[in-house]
Each structure stands twice: as C-alpha cells, then as structure tokens.
Amino acid sequence: MSDYTVKDKVAVAGIAETTYYKRGGAPISEMQLTLQAIIAAAEDAGLDPRQIDGFASYSNDRNDPPRLAAALGCDDLSFSNMFWGGGGGGGSGAVANASAALVAGYSKYVVVYRGLAQGQFGRFGQGTQAKTVSGAGAYTAPYGLMSPAQSFAMRVQRFMYEHNGGHEAQKAISLTSYAHAQRNPRAVMHGSPLSPEAYDGARWIVEPFRLFDCCMENDGAAAVIVTTAERARDLKQKPAYVIAAAQGSDYRQAAPAHNAPDYATSNFKTVAKRLWGMAGIEPKDVDVCQSYENFTGGVMMSLVEHGFCSPDEVDDFMTVENFRFDGGKLPLNTSGGNLAECYMHGLELITEAVRQVRGTSTAQVPNVDISMVCSGPMVQPVSDLILRA
Amino acid sequence: MTSNTLTTEKTSYLPEGLPMPAASPDGLDQRFWDATKQHELMVQRCASCQTFQFGPEWLCHKCHSFDLEWHKVSGRGRIYSWERVWHPVHPALKGACPYLVVLVELPDAGNVRMVGNLLGDPMQDIVIGSEVQVEFEDHPEAGIALVQWRVAG
Ligand SMILES: [Zn+2]
C-alpha cells in the first residue's frame, strides 16, 4: 500500500552545525548551541526560523521543544517529539518521526536537532558515582561493567568469536574515519591523522577496543530541516528526498543484563529488512554510507546486517581501500563521523549524508544518487535513513 | 552448602567504592539478593511454563503468566563472552586495571546469562565455552554478596 509510506513524500531541506568542540570546550551554553544550529539550518533552507512548527529529537535531549519554540518565537508548535532510547539510535529515527508528522499533515517544517555539551553536564564515558545501584544496573555495575564501551565490547567479542575475525575490519573503519576527517575543516581531528602503526600501538580501553575504536566526547549542536517534497522544492537548496526511514529493535534486544537471545548483533536485522523494503533498492545500489560509530565493532556488525557483506568475510571486505570516498566500493563515514569529525550523537552523519546528495561534501563521492545513514548500533531501538538526489 | 567462598587474601576482586547492588525498591529482585547472601544462586522461572528469565521481570515473556517463582541453580556455567578492562571509568577502579568481566550462560537455567568478574589472574587466557563455577563475594558492610565466577578445575 504505497499510500502508507513516507517514501518520496518528504525531503531534508536545510542542514547546519555549530563549531564542533572538544568536550568542555564550548564557550556558550548547550541551549545556545542548539538555537544557533536551528537558526543556521533554517537559514540554509531559506526559511524564517519562526516558520518551524515541529521539533523532533532523540536520546533525551535536554533542550525541549516548548522551550526552543518560545525562544525562537515560533508562530505555532504542532509536533513535539522524542525518540525513546539512548545513544545515537534515534538519529535517523527522529527524521523518520518528522517525516511521519509531515505526511500526516501535523506540521509543515520540522527541525530535527541535537545539542550536547558534555562539559556542562555528565559524561557518557564515565560510570555512575552513586553508592548503590538497583534494577538492571545492579547486575553489571558492581563488576566494573559501567560504560558504553564496556557494555558493547562484550557483544563485539562474541561476534568476533562466532565469525573468527574482525580485528582488521575494525582497524579499517577507524583509519577511514580519520583519513576522511583530514579533508574536513569542521572535524575536531582535522590535522591529527592516524597511521596504522598508531592505531595498533594505542592503549586498550577494553578488549577488543583500543583507543581509536572509540568515539570522541564533544560539545556542539546540529540541526536539519525536514519538510514535504513540494515545500522543499520551493526552498533554497537541492532537496535530499527521503526514500526510506525505519526504526526498531529485534526480539527482546532490551532484555536486562545482557540477555538478548540474539546477542552478537548490532540490532539492525529487522530494521534493515523494513528499510530495503520501503526503499525498493538493494545494498549494491548505495553510493555512500554513514554508519554510526560508537565503537568500530558496531559499524562492522551494522554493515553485515544491512547485507553489504557476510559476517565471515568482514576482514576481506572492510578495508580502507573499499571505504575510500574516491573509488571505494562502499564509501564510508566521509566526514570523519563520531570517531574523528565530532560526536554530535550521529546527527553529523545525517548532515553529511545530505551534503553527499547535494555534492558539497569535503570528501565528495562522484554522482551520488543514494546516500544512507545507519544510526546507533547495539542500542535499542536503532534506526536507518536513505536519501536520494 | 555446595558453593565455594573466596579463598584468596583479597576480600573482593575489585576495590571498595564501586556502587553496590541494592534490591529494587519495587521488590522485583529482593529474593535474588537475599539468596546471594546465603550463597545461593537463584533464577526466576515461570510457574506456568517453566521458562527462565534473568534479570527478573513481572511477567513471563513466553506465556504472559504473572505467576513467577525463584529456582535455585547449581552455579555451574559456561563463558559466553568476556572482556579485559584497561581504562578505569570510576575513581574506585584507578589502579585496579586490568580486570576481567565475563558473561556466563547457565545451562541448567535455560541458558540465561549473568555478568560477573572472572576470578584469578587478570591476564589469564580465556576460552569462550569454558566451564565456570560461581563464587560469592561477601560485602557485609553493604549487606550484599556479589556473584563471581572461576574457571572450573
Ligand atoms: Zn510462562
């Protein structure tokens, strides 16, 4: 039933980000960063920010829509939405929710945004300082399993055991992000290249992750304006049409204390099926992919579960050569992503996917028609987005 | 009592100062933590369909019965996955790295999994699938005992 889809009915019409800072480096508040990004995204689209009438975010963003709409002086607030779940699992999902609101006629211009100043609030990479812990955390934290890296290393280790590989794939994913960041002046790691020797020589964080397998912690904000395809055509930029957006979580993936029945997974198996079904395309049709790197092992499993290669050939397929923007089979994370551009909780992957459609990336893949984003491996729920020129 | 207790000089595998478990205020896992103090390992089991689940829930995910009970298990397990932690993410862990965390599946409880530390040399070779045996780590001041694991001899 083609009526029940967002395919081709909405488009990303504006994108923006603030300056990206190292954690604690933002000279202004998280709220101000967020407002700056939203105003700049509206300007990029050629829209008065007061015309924004919908707000969608994820991962419990602290800057809530009523407050943002009041600060911006928006004429109306007709859609106010939070994608449940942690990490970057909701980046594409927030665009999906915005798309649904637009197709349903709730709103005309929805901004998807994420503001983060980890220096002003808590850090993701640190364990709880509480004296006691109850519920699911009581089965992990007392054993020193507290951080996202520690939580996800356990899944990746199992994947590497089941498929007898993955070290080389994870290394290639890290080197690719750093190489692409060297072309991107926005990137926090611009000017800090990473050699294979430095990757191998870096300290362990938690086996099997070394330092450069892990995302950064940053301050900044990003925003994208989503609207109907018709309205997008009347705005300033070349529209990036949404041809598929999907979200979800496989059977009991959120079972407590690492009890998901299918454990060695990025949690994209059911979501990928829905995504390809809606888009009506196959993995081989993708020109460029931005895949959320909380940790390189998550990218490795994401690419497998989207059908780019089999789990037993990750080290053969996932190479720096295959991930290059210029001539690779699957150009990957062309801005530097969470590892080397900025940990903007994956919204920087969506702005980069739009740049690839527009032809304005700093690592531009030639003649991009299909531009894909995978948001948040190993969390629950996760989400995906496919854009078309 | 079939279970062992810690025999090394160190009274706990990780330093004091980490958050200690407290039974959930809604009572969901009170029985589990009461049992560890008695050096017994309990897993929640559905009284209607005998499905095991851990951590405990208010509802059997298989048959939707609310009639759930606690079942004592042997404390034998198999290493399902593991990690060696090198970077401390809590002040209490500074100087305690590396340490080992294992995910253990319990074959006599429907292969539910539990997290714990693998006792012994933190640099020991670890083979997924190895048999392990539970050991309880007493924390009397916190009124709690942690569930730890050691490779079965
Ligand atoms: Zn049941």
Side-chain angles (χ1 to χ4, degrees):
Chain A
M1 296 297 287
S2 63
D3 280 349
Y4 295 104
T5 179
V6 300
K7 186 183 182 186
D8 299 322
K9 294 176 182 172
V10 299
V12 178
I15 58 171
E17 65 280 307
T18 63
T19 300
Y20 289 146
Y21 302 95
K22 294 196 167 172
R23 178 183 53 80
I28 56 175
S29 76
E30 186 180 83
M31 179 72 170
Q32 191 176 347
L33 289 165
T34 308
L35 289 165
Q36 277 186 357
I38 292 172
I39 289 169
E43 193 171 291
D44 178 64
L47 195 68
D48 185 322
R50 294 171 191 81
Q51 289 177 271
I52 294 169
D53 60 350
F55 291 78
S57 190
Y58 56 101
S59 208
N60 304 314
D61 194 286
R62 282 175 284 261
N63 308 284
D64 63 83
R67 197 167 149 226
L68 290 169
L72 290 163
C74 294
D75 300 326
D76 190 13
L77 176 59
S78 58
F79 183 65
S80 177
N81 176 259
M82 170 57 67
F83 184 100
W84 288 70
S92 292
V95 176
N97 292 346
S99 300
L102 290 158
V103 170
Y106 295 153
S107 293
K108 294 183 175 67
Y109 303 100
V110 182
V111 64
V112 174
Y113 64 96
R114 186 79 181 100
L116 259 185
Q118 293 194 58
Q120 294 162 24
F121 299 93
R123 292 178 64 178
F124 290 113
Q126 292 291 301
T128 173
Q129 303 291 307
K131 287 228 182 326
T132 61
V133 55
S134 291
Y139 313 126
T140 55
Y143 307 98
L145 198 168
M146 313 172 90
S147 71
Q150 293 161 357
S151 206
F152 299 138
M154 201 69 99
R155 282 189 187 247
V156 173
Q157 184 88 275
R158 180 72 195 186
F159 178 95
M160 293 172 73
Y161 164 77
E162 289 181 5
H163 302 290
N164 194 27
H167 276 299
E168 290 304 311
Q170 292 175 77
K171 181 176 173 178
I173 288 160
S174 178
L175 294 175
T176 296
S177 288
Y178 272 83
H180 286 153
Q182 302 318 307
R183 305 178 55 87
N184 176 1
R186 296 184 309 275
V188 172
M189 289 298 169
H190 185 246
S192 303
L194 177 66
S195 69
E197 296 72 32
Y199 172 90
D200 287 331
R203 63 192 169 94
W204 289 113
I205 299 300
V206 46
E207 295 176 47
F209 300 149
R210 292 185 183 275
L211 177 64
F212 296 110
D213 292 306
C214 304
C215 61
M216 303 183 286
E217 294 179 302
N218 297 110
D219 293 357
V224 304
I225 305 283
V226 191
T227 188
T228 60
E230 296 77 36
R231 289 191 185 93
R233 284 191 275 274
D234 293 335
L235 292 172
K236 206 164 87 184
Q237 302 287 352
K238 174 183 172 180
Y241 294 100
V242 173
I243 66 163
Q247 56 183 272
S249 197
D250 202 350
Y251 177 68
R252 280 176 52 77
Q253 277 297 310
H258 295 247
N259 273 277
D262 182 11
Y263 186 68
T265 173
S266 61
N267 197 17
F268 274 110
K269 289 176 185 173
T270 53
V271 176
K273 198 179 287 182
R274 280 198 287 281
L275 180 83
W276 298 124
M278 186 186 293
I281 62 169
E282 296 173 34
K284 67 173 172 50
D285 300 318
V286 173
D287 295 309
V288 57
C289 181
Q290 316 297 327
S291 185
Y292 189 100
E293 329 102 305
N294 34 21
F295 304 95
T296 53
V299 180
M300 171 176 72
M301 294 193 289
S302 296
L303 296 178
V304 165
E305 288 170 20
H306 286 90
F308 290 108
C309 79
S310 89
D312 297 315
E313 62 182 20
V314 292
D315 288 332
D316 298 324
F317 176 76
M318 298 184 194
T319 62
V320 171
E321 206 51 36
N322 280 346
F323 289 152
R324 293 178 68 92
F325 78 100
D326 52 346
K329 278 186 196 158
L330 180 67
L332 183 78
N333 296 341
T334 48
S335 72
N338 286 319
L339 294 183
E341 185 188 24
C342 175
Y343 185 73
M344 205 53 259
H345 240 170
L347 200 51
E348 86 287 353
L349 302 177
I350 293 175
T351 56
E352 175 64 10
V354 172
R355 285 191 169 100
Q356 287 288 353
V357 166
R358 291 181 181 178
T360 58
S361 170
T362 51
Q364 182 63 44
V365 175
N367 308 314
V368 168
D369 184 42
I370 301 292
S371 181
M372 174 165 169
V373 183
C374 310
S375 299
M378 305 182 281
V379 299
Q380 307 92 28
V382 297
S383 59
D384 275 333
L385 179 68
I386 300 181
L387 301 172
R388 204 203 62 206
Chain B
M1 214 166 289
T2 55
S3 309
N4 303 321
T5 49
L6 277 181
T7 50
T8 50
E9 322 79 66
K10 259 200 316 183
T11 54
S12 64
Y13 179 80
L14 293 174
E16 298 291 334
L18 285 175
M20 281 291 110
S24 185
D26 60 11
L28 181 60
D29 59 4
Q30 185 73 50
R31 186 76 187 86
F32 176 80
W33 291 115
D34 285 348
T36 65
K37 269 192 284 188
Q38 307 303 316
H39 292 194
E40 292 181 343
L41 191 61
M42 307 284 263
V43 178
Q44 193 187 44
R45 187 175 68 173
C46 174
S48 294
C49 78
Q50 275 72 56
T51 295
F52 286 97
Q53 51 191 13
F54 188 81
E57 299 277 7
W58 290 108
L59 175 69
C60 170
H61 69 269
K62 196 85 176 180
C63 76
H64 290 181
S65 169
F66 287 95
D67 188 9
L68 300 162
E69 57 191 18
W70 288 93
H71 178 77
K72 187 182 165 189
V73 296
S74 67
R76 282 189 300 277
R78 272 194 309 254
I79 296 177
Y80 186 79
S81 191
W82 65 277
E83 64 191 23
R84 188 177 284 117
V85 180
W86 292 85
H87 176 71
V89 299
H90 189 282
L93 293 170
K94 291 200 168 75
C97 293
Y99 60 90
L100 287 170
V101 185
V102 282
L103 183 59
V104 172
E105 58 178 356
L106 306 183
D108 57 356
N111 286 333
V112 299
R113 303 181 200 123
M114 289 187 187
V115 168
N117 297 118
L118 186 67
L119 302 177
D121 182 1
M123 295 307 291
Q124 66 188 285
D125 286 331
I126 299 178
V127 179
I128 287 179
S130 298
E131 302 269 329
V132 290
Q133 178 67 37
V134 75
E135 292 193 16
F136 294 94
E137 182 181 295
D138 292 318
H139 291 259
E141 72 299 335
I144 209 87
L146 297 181
V147 178
Q148 303 287 30
W149 303 92
R150 191 186 295 277
V151 173

